[in-house]
Structures are given as C-alpha cells and as structure tokens.
C-alpha cells in the first residue's frame, strides 16, 4: 500500500497493513509509525474536529480512519516504543478537542500499544501524573481487564509512587511558616505560592491514590507485599486531613476523592488479607474520622455483614486482644478507639452470645463438649472468648486503669470512649458472669466511679452496669440502696 498520501488511506488498506505487520513484523521499520503519525495530524485538522462536535463521531469516515491508524501501532517492531510520547500526545489532543474521555474511540487501540510497552508506559504516565488528562487516561488503561502487563509494570514502579506520596506528606502545610523569598517582598504573594504548591501536590497525591485503588481491584495483595506503600498512603491521609482550610475549588474536591480511594484500597487489602487487625483498625479509624466528608456507610456495612456476623470466636479473640494491647497507647487517638469500640469491638463481643450459629474456630469445630444441638453453650462461649490473656487484658486495661478518678489513672479523656468501655463491661456482665466472677470487686469499683461522671449517658450506662452486677452477685445492701436511690432521681429532665 502507498503511505505517501494521507488522502489515499482507507480503513480496508489500514486493516491490510495490520495483518501484514502481524505476519512480517521484523521486515518493517519504525518509520512506518512516524509516517502514520504524520497522517494522523493531517486527518485531525481543525475543521474536522470542529465538525465532529456536532455529529456522532463513531459514524464519521475520518474518525474511523484515525482509529484504524491507531490499531496499527501495537503491531510495529519493538523499537516503536520511541513513538510513545508522540502517540499519546496525539490522542490527548484529539480527545481534548472532541470533548471525549472514557467514551473516546481512540483509547482501546492506544491501550494495546501501552500494554505492548508496559514498563516504558508506566514510567511515562507517572512522570506526567500532574496533568489531569494523562492521569485519567492511565487510570482508565489500568482499569481495563486486558491491561495485566500495564498493572504489573505499575506495581514494579512502587518506589516512584511512594516518592510522589511522600512529596505531599512531608511538605510544610499551606498554613505554616515558609522560608522567606527576598525577591518577593509581598507576603500575600508568598503565601499564595506556598498554597498553590500544597494544592498541586494534593492533586498529584489524589491521582496516585486513585491509581493504586484501581490497580488493587486486580492485585489486592499489593499492600501486603509492600508495607512501605501502605505507610506512605497513611501518611498522605494524615497530610490531607491536616488541610483544614482549602480555598482552591479543585483542591477542595481532591481531598475527599483522595480519602475515598484510600478507604476503598484499604477495604480491598483487608478483605484479601483475611482482615489483619492493623489494617482493619486503620480502615475503621479513617472511616470514622472521614464520615463527615465522604459516605463510609459501605465500610460499616461490610464490617457487620461480612465480619461481625461470620467470624469464629477464635478470630474475635484475636481481634479483641489486638485492640486491648493498643488501648493504652498514647499515640492512638481517643476518636480512633471510640470508632473501633462502637463499630467493631462491642458488636463483635455481643454477637458471640446472641448469634447461636457462630463457631468456636474457623474450621467450624468447637470444643469437644458442645451441646447436643451442635452449638456452644453460653458458658462455653464466654470461656472460649476470654481464655488466655484476654480476660487479664480487659482487667488491666479497662477496669484497673479506671479504679481511681485521678488524672494519671484515667486511660482516656474522651467521653465516647468511656461510654463504650462501660457498655463493653455491661455486655460481659450480662453474658459472661462466670468468666468475670473473680474480678467482681474491680468491676463494681469501675462502674461506681462512672456513676459520678458528669456526662449523663455515661452515668446512666454505669447504672445499668451496676444493676447487672447487683443481679449477678451478692451485693452489700448499702450499694444496692445507693444505686436504687440514685435511679429514683432519674425522672429529672437532665437525666432522661
């Protein structure tokens, strides 16, 4: 066929060239691709692009020829990787003028070319990720089922992604002091430049997290294999969360998008890794903190339907132990502990006793002396959940730490955490009396301290705990009368 005149190109002739390249690839030179790029530029003239805005472009003869030209490139010799920049730039130019994105007819043939040279393509797009159109094209390419080589190449470029995330996480915040530029005497101009840099890196971080989320739809174990990437993601979330005032409209949208992609990435990771406590806890912490910015109801729904109602008692014991071990850690916020208690720990412990179908172990086999019906008895359930160090951890990290009202003895300062700890104690008092009987003195001290709390919800929850204690154990009449007398006063408006 004659490639000297672009007007003589037809869809049939280009299809014939493609078939010939499949058979005789090594007989052609990369110059064939350069000539085709020149013809693309001639076909994509301004008059054509303007006319295409008013028509269905899929039916236009010129567009069909452009698509047919693109279909040839992935069949060119291996040295055709040098055409990557020119080819992608040409497609970007076409899409911008035609106002097309995912519906662009040019992307499918372009993606074949990118998957022919995945390593070069991954580096090329990562280096241009600050460009909106380049970032979107790459994310679309990664999302295609046929783009396995491209996703593998992206995973291999994990260090580049970490560097981009760290450049956002480690930079000074927009509202912190920046080094003075003596050439810019105007402080307002310096502040504006500083803010622009922060917002630019926020957008880049958002694009990186979006890429990671898209890739993890196919490679969910990525974060398990690269803990450094997980750390970089969490640092990026902390950095984005610290941006309390964002004046730029695009950046204001970038923050919740980054958080949502991060949450969904962590969900994919924790699901694929059988819900390790560290990642599951971080997922819930971020979800609880971000509930005002994005819809995280699907996370809490997943935790309830897929974990809390299905976990064996052995798995619950593992999760409960991991939570109790970190309960006194000053580096973990009360807000995080409150979210975990409310959405995971307390429901998880309560359902041990309220869902009879729960097995003792993941294999579905409980202890040797299960009941005749095949289910564990209430006492067996409590013994299975609280065996080993678990009951000791609850004793030391929940009850003992709160037996004094001194500031040093209080393990937490947030009322919501105290409330959840009182409710956890009530669950155990209601369903696991025999397991906690030896610790009853510390339990009643714990409950009695919080009866004097100023928060009315904590006070009433403590009365419930004390009442359950009185019902379960022989209690001095003095304590019983004090509790009863105080409950009689609960008719007051502030106590309702």
């Amino acid at each position: 066929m004659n490639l000297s005149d672009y007007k003589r190109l037809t869809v049939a002739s280009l299809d014939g060239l493609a078939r010939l390249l499949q058979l005789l690839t090594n007989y052609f030179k990369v110059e064939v691709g350069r000539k085709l790029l020149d013809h693309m530029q001639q076909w994509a003239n301004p008059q054509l692009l303007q006319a295409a805005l008013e028509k269905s472009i899929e039916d236009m003869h010129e567009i069909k020829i452009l698509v047919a030209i693109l279909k040839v490139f992935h069949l060119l010799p291996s040295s055709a990787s040098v055409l990557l920049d020119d080819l992608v730039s040409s497609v970007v130019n076409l899409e911008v003028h035609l106002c097309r994105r995912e519906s662009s007819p040019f992307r499918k043939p372009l993606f074949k070319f990118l998957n022919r040279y995945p390593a070069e393509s991954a580096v090329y797009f990562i280096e241009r990720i600050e460009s909106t159109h380049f970032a979107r094209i790459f994310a679309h390419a990664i999302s295609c089922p046929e783009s396995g080589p491209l996703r593998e190449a992206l995973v291999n470029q994990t260090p580049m992604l970490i560097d981009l995330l760290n450049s956002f996480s480690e930079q000074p915040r927009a509202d912190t002091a920046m080094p003075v530029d003596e050439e810019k005497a105007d402080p307002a101009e310096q502040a504006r430049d500083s803010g622009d840099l922060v917002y630019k890196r926020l957008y880049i971080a958002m694009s990186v997290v979006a890429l990671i989320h898209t890739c993890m739809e196919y490679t969910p174990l990525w974060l398990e294999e690269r803990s450094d990437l997980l750390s970089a993601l969490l640092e990026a979330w902390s950095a984005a969360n610290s941006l309390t005032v964002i004046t730029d409209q695009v950046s204001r949208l970038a923050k919740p998008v980054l958080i949502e992609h991060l949450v969904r990435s962590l969900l994919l990771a924790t699901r694929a890794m059988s819900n390790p406590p560290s990642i599951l806890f971080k997922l819930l912490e971020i979800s609880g903190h971000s509930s005002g910015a994005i819809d995280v109801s699907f996370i809490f729904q997943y935790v309830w339907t897929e974990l809390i109602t299905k976990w064996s008692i052995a798995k619950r014991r593992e999760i409960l132990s991991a939570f109790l071990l970190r309960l006194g850690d000053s580096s973990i916020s009360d807000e995080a502990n409150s979210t975990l208690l409310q959405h995971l720990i307390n429901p998880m412990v309560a359902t041990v006793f309220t869902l009879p179908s729960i097995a003792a172990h993941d294999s579905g086999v409980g202890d040797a002396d299960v009941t005749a019906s095949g289910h564990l008895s209430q006492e067996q359930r409590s013994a299975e959940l609280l065996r080993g160090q678990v009951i000791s951890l609850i004793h030391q990290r929940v009850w003992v730490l709160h037996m004094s009202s001194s500031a040093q003895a209080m393990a937490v300062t947030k009322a919501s955490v105290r409330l959840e700890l009182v409710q956890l104690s009530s669950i155990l008092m209601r369903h696991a009396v025999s397991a906690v009987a030896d610790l009853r003195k510390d339990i009643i001290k714990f409950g009695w301290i919080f009866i004097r709390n100023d928060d009315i919800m904590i006070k009433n929850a403590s009365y419930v705990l004390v009442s359950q204690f009185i019902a379960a154990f022989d209690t001095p009449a003095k304590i019983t009368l004090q509790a009863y007398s105080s409950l009689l006063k609960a008719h007051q408006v502030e106590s309702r």
Side-chain angles (χ1 to χ4, degrees):
M1 62 176 295
N2 189 349
L3 295 179
S4 60
D5 185 1
Y6 78 96
K7 293 182 179 179
R8 298 180 63 180
L9 291 179
T10 64
V11 173
S13 64
L14 290 166
D15 288 343
L17 175 60
R19 287 192 294 272
L20 192 60
L21 281 168
Q22 286 179 310
L23 296 173
L24 304 170
T25 302
N26 295 330
Y27 285 89
F28 289 85
K29 296 182 178 179
V30 73
E31 281 70 20
V32 173
R34 297 191 184 281
K35 193 65 177 179
L36 291 173
L37 280 171
D38 293 338
H39 290 338
M40 281 186 66
Q41 297 299 324
Q42 292 175 303
W43 276 108
N45 58 76
Q47 294 79 11
L48 167 68
L49 298 178
Q50 183 63 34
L53 291 173
E54 304 171 358
K55 301 178 182 179
S56 174
I57 64 172
E58 287 78 4
D59 298 329
M60 293 182 61
H61 173 68
E62 296 86 347
I63 298 297
K64 290 181 179 179
I65 291 201
L66 288 170
V67 172
I69 292 175
L70 285 169
K71 289 180 178 179
V72 172
F73 281 89
H74 75 283
L75 300 171
L76 292 171
S78 57
S79 57
S81 59
V82 298
L83 303 175
L84 176 62
D85 183 39
D86 292 333
L87 184 61
V88 175
S89 298
S90 297
V91 172
V92 168
N93 180 64
L94 286 169
E95 292 186 351
V96 168
H97 283 88
L98 295 174
C99 301
R100 291 297 186 101
R101 292 179 182 172
E102 282 77 6
S103 62
S104 166
F106 311 119
R107 291 202 175 183
K108 188 173 182 180
L110 173 63
F111 294 166
K112 289 183 178 180
F113 182 84
L114 300 182
N115 279 284
R116 173 78 187 279
Y117 309 101
E120 296 89 340
S121 299
V123 173
Y124 174 85
F125 279 99
I126 293 173
E127 290 176 344
R128 292 160 179 78
I129 201 166
E130 66 182 68
S131 168
T132 301
H133 211 96
F134 280 82
R136 286 174 175 169
I137 286 180
F138 193 38
H140 188 192
I142 292 294
S143 69
C144 291
E146 301 83 8
S147 293
L150 199 57
R151 286 189 289 272
E152 183 178 352
L154 177 62
V155 171
N156 291 336
Q157 296 302 327
T158 299
M160 291 185 70
L161 301 178
I162 292 174
D163 288 343
L164 289 171
L165 291 173
N166 289 342
S167 69
F168 168 63
S169 306
E170 297 171 359
Q171 68 182 334
R173 302 277 68 81
D175 53 355
T176 59
M178 295 290 289
V180 176
D181 186 348
E182 296 181 355
E183 296 181 0
K184 294 184 178 179
D186 186 1
E189 184 178 356
Q190 289 192 25
R192 184 170 57 253
D193 292 345
S194 170
D196 289 344
L197 180 60
V198 171
Y199 301 149
K200 176 182 177 181
R201 290 178 176 173
L202 170 61
Y203 182 84
I204 292 174
M206 178 207 72
S207 298
V208 170
V209 177
L211 278 178
I212 293 170
H213 170 218
T214 303
C215 191
M216 285 187 64
E217 295 281 355
Y218 297 90
T219 57
L221 294 176
W222 190 2
L223 297 184
E224 181 181 34
E225 298 163 356
R226 294 300 301 257
S227 59
D228 52 348
L229 179 59
L230 174 60
S231 299
L233 284 169
L234 297 179
E235 288 297 325
W237 170 74
S238 298
N241 191 54
S242 68
L243 297 176
T244 55
V245 179
I246 303 179
T247 56
D248 180 74
Q249 181 64 32
V250 174
S251 299
R252 191 181 297 120
L253 295 174
K255 178 179 175 180
V257 171
L258 182 152
I259 294 173
E260 180 165 3
H261 281 300
L262 173 58
V263 166
R264 292 185 180 276
S265 298
L266 291 179
L267 176 58
L268 290 169
T270 190
R271 191 194 297 267
M273 296 162 62
S274 300
N275 305 290
S278 58
I279 297 183
L280 179 60
F281 290 170
K282 203 66 187 180
L283 171 63
L284 284 169
E285 176 187 344
I286 293 174
S287 299
H289 190 87
S290 307
S291 58
I294 63 172
D295 179 15
V296 293
S297 59
F298 67 97
I299 297 294
F300 300 131
Q301 182 70 19
Y302 164 76
V303 169
W304 175 259
T305 58
E306 299 297 325
L307 307 183
I308 291 176
T309 62
K310 296 181 179 180
W311 268 343
S312 68
I313 298 178
K315 181 66 176 180
R316 294 164 196 262
R317 186 172 60 250
E318 174 194 348
I319 297 294
L320 182 57
S321 297
F323 172 77
L324 292 169
L325 286 170
R326 57 171 254 163
L327 185 58
D329 190 341
S330 59
S331 66
I332 299 172
S333 68
D334 284 345
E335 183 183 15
N337 286 329
S338 176
T339 299
L340 287 172
L341 281 163
Q342 180 180 0
H343 293 283
L344 179 65
I345 302 301
N346 284 356
M348 179 187 75
V349 172
T351 49
V352 168
F353 308 102
T354 58
L355 295 179
S357 60
I358 291 176
H361 304 281
D362 291 330
S363 62
V365 179
D367 290 341
D369 55 340
V370 295
T371 60
S373 63
H375 297 311
L376 296 173
S377 67
Q378 193 92 327
E379 187 172 342
Q380 288 172 326
R381 288 169 181 271
S382 62
E384 182 68 26
L385 177 67
L386 301 176
R387 74 181 187 182
Q389 67 170 349
V390 176
I391 189 63
S392 176
L393 286 171
I394 295 175
H395 179 221
Q396 295 297 325
R397 307 231 171 186
V398 177
W399 298 326
V400 171
L401 281 177
H402 296 84
M403 284 195 298
S404 170
S405 58
S406 65
Q408 291 79 11
M410 299 301 277
V412 296
T413 58
K414 195 174 181 66
S416 60
V417 182
R418 296 175 181 173
L419 175 61
E420 296 297 336
L421 290 176
V422 172
Q423 291 179 336
L424 173 62
S425 302
S426 292
I427 294 170
L428 296 176
M429 183 58 60
R430 185 183 309 123
H431 299 290
V433 175
S434 59
V436 300
D438 293 340
L439 308 172
R440 57 184 178 273
K441 290 183 179 180
D442 290 337
I443 296 174
I444 191 62
K445 290 179 182 178
F446 170 81
W448 204 257
I449 286 171
F450 284 122
I451 282 179
R452 299 194 296 268
N453 195 279
D454 293 333
D455 189 294
I456 194 61
M457 294 184 67
I458 296 177
K459 182 188 293 287
N460 287 340
S462 299
Y463 276 125
V464 172
L465 173 59
V466 170
S467 299
Q468 290 170 335
F469 181 93
I470 293 171
F473 303 111
D474 291 333
T475 308
K478 180 180 178 181
I479 295 178
T480 304
L481 288 174
Q482 285 181 341
Y484 183 66
S485 176
S486 298
L487 284 171
L488 289 176
K489 301 175 184 178
H491 66 281
Q492 299 173 7
V493 174
E494 65 268 23
S495 298
R496 287 178 181 174

